[in-house]
Amino acid sequence: MLNVIILGPPGSGKGTQSQKIAEKYNLLHISTGEMLRREIKERTELGLLVKDTLSRGELVSDEIVTSMIASTIDSDTIHQGFLYDGYPRTISQVRQLQDILNVRGMSVDILLLMEVEHDELVKRLSGRGAAFGRPDDQSVEVINNRLEIYRQVTEPLVDHYCKTKTCAPVNGMGSVNEVFGRICRAIEIKCKL
Ligand code: AP5
């Protein structure tokens, strides 16, 4: 089973590229952000609990997202692996994912680190906010808050994955297909496909 993490700041193309990666390598795309937005849309108890946190651009608790990951992995029988998009995002989540994988006899094969310039991130997120109305893309303050939380809380995880030699930096600037080509090369080299 292949276990791929895609990590990068908001707007770096994680969701866009994940759809293509999941299809090409037959992986289950697990996006914690998408799962949470679905809960909000369906007005579930969890959705009501996390709605304000997402609209402020802050992180929900580690326990909430990790329990979603474990149950999603266990319910899948048809894919050749998993693609984690937007998870892990904190040091605790790194440990929790490691535990989840260890007990199932798996480990992280590659972490794709999406690198995109700050101005381009703001441009992409504001553009999507104007076009599609995603609540956390609506104001510059919330966009900046998300980028700052990424810098302070999530970026330090990269060191951990560099130590385990699973980190593969990917230039996320350029067209969607250009970026996808770089990602495929990184996966095929690192995972020896
Ligand atoms: P999440 O859904 O993970 O959002 P995010 O990290 O803020 O990322 P985005 O979806 O904004 O960007 P992306 O990198 O996926 O880029 P995308 O492909 O969409 O999380 C949302 C919230 O949920 C969090 O803030 C938090 O509250 C909560 N949450 C989620 N996971 C959590 C966790 N593990 N722990 C705690 N809380 C959690 O592209 C963005 C735009 O750019 C699109 O319009 C796209 O069309 C465009 N674009 C993409 N690629 C290109 C390109 N190459 N050129 C030009 N435009 C492009």
Side-chain angles (χ1 to χ4, degrees):
M1 295 293 256
L2 200 60
N3 282 277
V4 178
I5 296 174
I6 185 161
L7 188 82
S12 58
K14 303 183 297 292
T16 305
Q17 296 296 334
S18 288
Q19 291 178 11
K20 296 169 79 67
I21 301 166
E23 191 185 345
K24 175 158 178 166
Y25 298 102
N26 188 25
L27 305 177
L28 180 67
H29 176 200
I30 305 176
S31 161
T32 41
E34 279 302 321
M35 287 171 164
L36 293 167
R37 281 188 288 277
R38 202 175 312 130
E39 298 283 342
I40 293 171
K41 198 170 166 206
E42 292 170 3
R43 295 171 189 268
T44 63
E45 203 177 320
L46 174 59
L48 293 173
L49 188 72
V50 300
K51 186 170 185 255
D52 289 345
T53 309
L54 264 82
S55 61
R56 287 193 301 268
E58 290 164 7
L59 298 182
V60 307
S61 77
D62 295 330
E63 289 67 31
I64 289 178
V65 282
T66 295
S67 67
M68 297 192 314
I69 294 284
S71 56
T72 306
I73 290 180
D74 288 338
S75 62
D76 184 74
T77 51
I78 58 169
H79 292 90
Q80 284 173 321
F82 304 99
L83 172 60
Y84 309 91
D85 163 11
Y87 182 93
R89 257 174 150 102
T90 65
I91 295 289
S92 298
Q93 290 177 25
V94 168
R95 293 198 198 100
Q96 289 163 348
L97 177 62
Q98 211 162 318
D99 291 344
I100 288 172
L101 296 181
N102 277 348
V103 296
R104 290 161 181 80
M106 299 190 284
S107 58
V108 173
D109 296 284
I110 183 169
L111 173 126
L112 297 161
L113 177 63
M114 305 302 294
E115 296 179 329
V116 173
E117 290 163 14
H118 178 88
D119 290 354
E120 173 70 10
L121 296 172
V122 176
K123 192 173 127 198
R124 288 183 190 177
L125 295 172
S126 324
R128 184 175 60 187
F132 299 104
R134 191 171 129 176
D136 57 350
D137 290 336
Q138 291 302 307
S139 81
V140 178
E141 287 74 25
V142 173
I143 289 176
N144 283 335
N145 193 27
R146 288 160 63 201
L147 291 169
E148 190 54 23
I149 290 174
Y150 175 81
R151 200 181 63 76
Q152 286 187 16
V153 182
T154 306
E155 215 169 50
L157 312 190
V158 173
D159 280 349
H160 167 84
Y161 289 102
C162 286
K163 279 186 199 133
T164 59
K165 302 207 184 330
T166 42
C167 181
V170 175
N171 175 2
M173 299 289 288
S175 74
V176 169
N177 283 338
E178 279 167 349
V179 177
F180 184 56
R182 293 174 198 138
I183 287 176
C184 294
R185 278 194 293 284
I187 292 178
E188 282 156 31
I189 292 169
K190 189 74 88 182
C191 307
K192 300 186 175 63
L193 295 184

